[in-house]
Amino acid sequence: MNVLFSDIASEKMLDIAEFIDNINSPGAGDRWIEKFVDYIAEYARLNHVQWPLCRNKNLEAKSYSCLIYKNWVIAFKIEENEFRVYDLIYGSLLE
């Protein structure tokens, strides 16, 4: 199954990587993105799974399912045999 990232999710990944680079050594952000994408790819391979909707009411209203990566909530949908990541939200920022 292909993994696609929305513009919002892509921008947030780059912002997170930049932040990580600023507090760690250069390249740490790129490594974070690699691990993050690998994590999502592992779940995308489970194409036979019926994912429940997110528990957060705002995300559920958009029919998103959620995964957790460290402290990040990954809002996604599976559409047309594609694992589409729509948003990344730091867990403590959810209502």
Side-chain angles (χ1 to χ4, degrees), residues 3-13 64 75 83-88:
V3 177
L4 300 175
F5 293 89
S6 71
D7 290 342
I8 291 170
S10 295
E11 283 181 39
K12 287 186 179 181
M13 279 189 341
Y64 291 155
F83 193 100
R84 298 180 184 185
V85 177
Y86 287 95
D87 205 353
L88 307 172

Side-chain angles (χ1 to χ4, degrees), residues 68-82:
I68 306 296
Y69 178 73
K70 301 192 178 187
N71 292 326
W72 292 94
V73 176
I74 304 163
F76 70 94
K77 288 183 183 181
I78 296 178
E79 301 172 318
E80 300 172 17
N81 202 32
E82 294 177 332

Side-chain angles (χ1 to χ4, degrees), residues 30-67:
D30 289 338
R31 288 188 298 278
W32 184 88
I33 287 177
E34 282 180 37
K35 289 177 184 177
F36 179 75
V37 170
D38 288 346
Y39 179 83
I40 291 172
E42 286 293 319
Y43 280 94
R45 288 186 192 127
L46 303 173
N47 57 358
H48 62 281
V49 173
Q50 182 70 28
W51 298 99
L53 296 179
C54 299
R55 292 182 186 174
N56 177 276
K57 292 181 192 229
N58 293 329
L59 297 176
E60 181 183 20
K62 295 178 182 179
S63 299
Y64 291 155
S65 297
C66 289
L67 290 174

